[in-house]
Amino acid sequence: MTTVRIPEDWPATEEQARAVQDALRERVVLDEPGPPPGTGRVTGVDVAYDDARDVVAAAAVVLDAASLDVVAEATAVGRISFPYVPGLLAFREIPTVLAALGALPCEPGLVVCDGYGLAHPRRFGLACHLGVLTGLPTIGVAKNPFTFTFDDPDTPRGSTSALLAGSEEVGRALRTRDGVKPVFVSAGHRVTLANACAHTLALTPAYRLPETTRRADALCREALRKAYAD
């Protein structure tokens, strides 16, 4: 487990954080297809908070994209690096997530975030932010639609509907299990929306949420418990 300090130049105010988003958003790449689904490696990242101690734990879990077997994993624990502000949640997590990714013994391949990419009020969610900073292909798979609207997808697995900000498609509601509540997929960096949905389906053979997210969620919670175990 890696212990993380908040970078000295990290934004301290909402105004500073939004300025960073504005500057980095111009570097998001959306015209690359990304790696073919079911090939290479795919890595899930997730975080768990201990607000009483002002601490966040991050986990990165690398899976073989074909078998979904675990290839490698790493964790990091650090101070929460920004106050809770809707639309700026990435600033609370990124230093620790970057540390977990950096501690991996292998290349992560595609990174799947438990959250948003373009499906974000400023079109720069965690998946976009992380992708731009690392250069890695990234997607966001969220549990809810945030502030956006959508029609319920058809019942069968694989059905989709547009996730809309007015008339703009910022992602898709994707049914990963027959008749089960959809997840909300958006492109982050260097992956198209269509391929982001295909990757999500490849990662959900048995459950609503991707295996990357399920395993990273369990690992970051375990890391948080171990960090302060008596």
Side-chain angles (χ1 to χ4, degrees), residues 128-141:
C128 297
H129 202 150
L130 195 61
V132 167
L133 292 181
T134 62
L136 295 168
T138 56
I139 66 173
V141 183

Side-chain angles (χ1 to χ4, degrees), residues 52-131:
R53 291 188 172 96
D54 194 36
V55 164
V56 58
V61 180
V62 185
L63 305 184
D64 176 270
S67 66
L68 301 186
D69 291 335
V70 175
V71 175
E73 57 187 36
T75 60
V77 175
R79 294 293 176 189
I80 296 173
S81 51
F82 199 81
Y84 175 82
V85 180
L88 300 177
L89 299 186
F91 291 93
R92 292 167 60 83
E93 304 174 1
I94 277 183
T96 314
V97 171
L98 287 174
L101 284 170
L104 290 170
C106 60
E107 289 297 315
L110 175 79
V111 177
V112 181
C113 298
D114 179 27
Y116 306 95
L118 285 182
H120 179 272
R122 299 171 62 80
R123 306 298 181 270
F124 197 71
L126 174 63
C128 297
H129 202 150
L130 195 61

